[in-house]
């Protein structure tokens, strides 16, 4: 059922088998499996996630490469709800481990917000990450290209940069190293640091040895038309010709609601998992971009399948087997 501020009251006393934080690629996959295992689950999705920003899904088996992330999310949400999952538009602010259950506090509504608390036996953290972008006065100018011809994921879109003039935008010296990987796809790389990095002489030399120009000035503006980049203008007026680019400035992790929970092992901001997407807390699963591993739709979807299946196994194994009572004979048959 689709939940909203109007019908929340119907569910606040429900003990869900699992609450899924994040209704993107991984969370929806988990919810579809949970619902089809006959488990009660609630997906909580804040909106405007990374998958909705994905303008096209290039590398998913069987899907048209122009498939938009938003189409998958819309259809996947309907699928999950049709199979019996609950779905709520809201922001998970806090999760408290109560021993056998989790209390999940959600902010619902931007204005006149309410803060219902839902309870579940298991939690699936599917809240993902968001890529950092260079900050310009006119952010719309960045959004016009980011996710289109100015990419944020090399694995996803390196192929689409093949042999084009490209900028690599990095926010730390370590992030500049992506130049030496992007060069698999194109050698025509110009590195921009947007005034954020003190580049060492060693790195300058390495870039020079590869023939990659480095500009340390701030970016003033991206040029182009219809989301197709043609170049980048720097604050000192320098114009750099580029029809594509990669932003490699790190990510914001949507994991604040997990920070108070004991027993979770982190690798930086990523959760460490083992087996079927299980974290080091036996009732919390972490899937997709939030967990340590590859940030890809195929991985998030598979993680969702694994987490839901392990939760089903745990609940099934702890339950009484269903018997065909009419056929169960008296104990006396077996002597
Ligand atoms: C521009 C772009 C292009 C891409 N292209 C490709 C591609 O071609 N192929 C590919 O495999 N991958 C691609 N990716 C990567 C892909 O989008 C991610 O790997 C994938 O979406 C990860 O799935 P996820 O479920 O972990 O996270 P997401 O799909 O990001 O879902 C997480 C959800 O959690 C929600 N959320 C976060 N915090 C909270 C909270 N506190 N409460 C409630 N909800 C919350 C977010 O709104 C979000 O919808 C691309 C990404 C971008 C940005």
């Amino acid at each position: 059922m689709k939940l909203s501020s109007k019908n929340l009251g119907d569910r606040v006393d429900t003990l869900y088998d699992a609450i899924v934080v994040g209704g993107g690629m991984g969370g929806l996959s988990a919810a579809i499996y949970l619902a089809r295992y006959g488990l009660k689950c609630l997906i909580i999705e804040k909106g405007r996630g990374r998958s909705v920003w994905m303008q096209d899904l290039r590398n998913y088996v069987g899907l048209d490469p122009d498939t938009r992330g938003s189409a998958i999310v819309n259809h996947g949400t309907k699928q999950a709800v049709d199979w019996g999952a609950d779905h709520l538009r809201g922001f998970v602010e806090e999760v408290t481990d109560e021993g056998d259950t989790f209390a999940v506090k959600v902010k619902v509504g931007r204005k006149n917000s309410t803060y219902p608390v839902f309870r579940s036996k298991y939690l699936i953290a599917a809240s993902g990450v968001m890529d950092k972008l260079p900050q310009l006065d006119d952010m719309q100018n960045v959004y016009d290209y980011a996710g289109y011809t100015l990419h944020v994921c090399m694995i996803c879109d390196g192929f689409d940069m093949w042999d084009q003039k490209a900028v690599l935008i990095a926010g730390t010296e370590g992030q500049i190293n992506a130049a030496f990987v992007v060069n698999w796809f194109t050698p025509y790389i110009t590195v921009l640091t947007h005034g954020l990095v003190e580049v060492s002489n060693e790195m300058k030399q390495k870039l020079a040895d590869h023939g990659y120009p480095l500009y340390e000035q701030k970016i003033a503006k991206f040029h182009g038309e219809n989301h197709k980049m043609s170049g980048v203008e720097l604050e000192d007026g320098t114009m750099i010709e580029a029809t594509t680019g990669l932003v490699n400035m790190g990510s914001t992790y949507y994991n604040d609601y997990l920070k108070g929970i004991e027993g979770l092992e982190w690798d930086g901001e990523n959760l460490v998992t083992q087996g079927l997407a299980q974290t080091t807390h036996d009732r919390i699963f972490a899937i997709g971009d939030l967990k340590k591993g590859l940030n890809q739709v195929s991985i998030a979807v598979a993680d969702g399948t694994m987490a839901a299946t392990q939760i089903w196994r745990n609940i099934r194994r702890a339950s009484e087997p269903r018997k065909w009572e009419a056929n169960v004979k008296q104990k006396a048959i077996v002597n």
Side-chain angles (χ1 to χ4, degrees):
M1 176 163 87
K2 276 264 193 188
L3 300 184
S4 68
S5 48
K6 294 197 178 81
N7 61 358
L8 279 180
D10 295 353
R11 289 292 199 266
V12 276
D13 294 330
T14 301
L15 174 60
Y16 286 100
D17 291 307
I19 287 179
V20 184
V21 184
M25 299 297 160
L28 289 172
S29 165
I32 288 168
Y33 275 80
L34 287 165
R36 286 181 54 83
Y37 288 133
L39 298 175
K40 282 200 286 280
C41 83
L42 168 65
I43 311 155
I44 304 170
E45 166 58 40
K46 70 171 181 55
R48 298 166 70 93
R50 194 171 189 233
S51 45
V52 172
W53 180 20
M54 186 170 60
Q55 304 303 325
D56 37 42
L57 174 50
R58 291 309 217 192
N59 48 11
Y60 199 92
V61 60
L63 279 189
D64 188 300
D66 291 334
T67 306
R68 295 172 77 93
S70 56
I72 301 174
V73 169
N74 290 341
H75 195 70
T77 302
K78 182 178 180 309
Q79 251 179 305
V81 170
D82 285 350
W83 289 122
D86 285 344
H87 185 281
L88 172 67
R89 176 59 74 95
F91 180 82
V92 172
E93 289 211 326
E94 199 180 329
V95 174
T96 310
D97 185 357
E98 300 178 318
D100 291 336
T101 56
F102 294 106
V104 179
K105 183 178 162 198
V106 188
K107 178 179 177 185
V108 179
R110 277 170 198 253
K111 291 184 190 156
N112 304 322
S113 310
T114 56
Y115 294 86
V117 174
F118 296 90
R119 285 192 162 72
S120 65
K121 298 175 191 164
Y122 289 89
L123 188 83
I124 299 183
S127 40
V129 305
M130 187 53 89
D131 313 78
K132 292 184 181 161
L133 294 172
Q135 297 298 301
L136 306 194
D137 289 341
D138 176 12
M139 280 310 288
Q140 188 53 49
N141 175 246
V142 182
Y143 303 142
D144 282 347
Y145 300 98
Y148 295 92
T149 41
L150 179 60
H151 303 290
V152 293
C153 168
M154 192 192 324
I155 298 177
C156 314
D157 298 317
F159 183 91
D160 301 298
M161 301 170 73
W162 210 276
D163 279 352
Q164 291 185 59
K165 286 201 171 152
V167 286
L168 169 71
I169 304 173
T172 66
E173 176 147 318
Q175 289 162 354
I176 295 175
N177 283 308
F180 310 111
V181 187
V182 179
N183 62 5
W184 174 262
F185 301 103
T186 180
Y188 311 119
I189 302 164
T190 300
V191 175
L192 309 180
T193 60
H194 192 43
L196 296 168
V197 189
E198 272 212 19
V199 186
S200 66
N201 287 337
E202 196 187 339
M203 178 60 84
K204 284 180 180 166
Q205 189 58 56
K206 192 171 176 189
L207 290 170
D209 290 346
H210 284 74
Y212 306 156
L214 166 70
Y215 291 89
E216 296 175 75
Q217 298 92 321
K218 284 191 155 193
I219 297 165
K221 190 174 179 204
F222 292 91
H223 286 261
E225 228 177 18
N226 292 332
H227 309 300
K228 291 198 168 100
M229 261 173 69
S230 56
V232 184
E233 184 180 339
L234 303 182
E235 276 193 350
D236 65 358
T238 308
M239 273 296 296
I240 292 148
E241 193 194 329
T243 50
T244 188
L246 177 74
V247 179
N248 189 39
M249 300 181 74
S251 306
T252 300
Y253 290 76
Y254 294 127
N255 57 15
D256 285 350
Y257 63 95
L258 292 167
K259 288 293 172 72
I261 294 183
E262 284 179 20
L264 287 171
E265 187 183 337
W266 296 88
D267 182 344
E269 295 294 302
N270 286 119
L271 278 161
V272 174
T273 59
Q274 62 214 342
L276 297 190
Q278 176 120 34
T279 66
T280 44
H281 186 302
D282 59 4
R283 288 178 296 113
I284 300 181
F285 291 74
I287 66 177
D289 291 357
L290 193 59
K291 66 141 226 311
K292 192 168 150 45
L294 279 184
N295 292 0
Q296 288 290 283
V297 171
S298 52
I299 304 288
V301 168
D303 285 345
T305 307
M306 292 197 291
T309 302
Q310 187 60 52
I311 290 171
W312 170 57
R313 280 182 186 165
N314 293 353
I315 291 177
R316 177 171 51 81
R317 286 171 184 165
S319 307
E320 285 295 316
R322 296 174 74 197
K323 292 182 182 167
W324 190 346
E325 294 296 346
N327 286 350
V328 177
K329 300 276 188 306
Q330 298 288 324
K331 229 176 23 190
I333 292 176
V334 186
N335 52 20

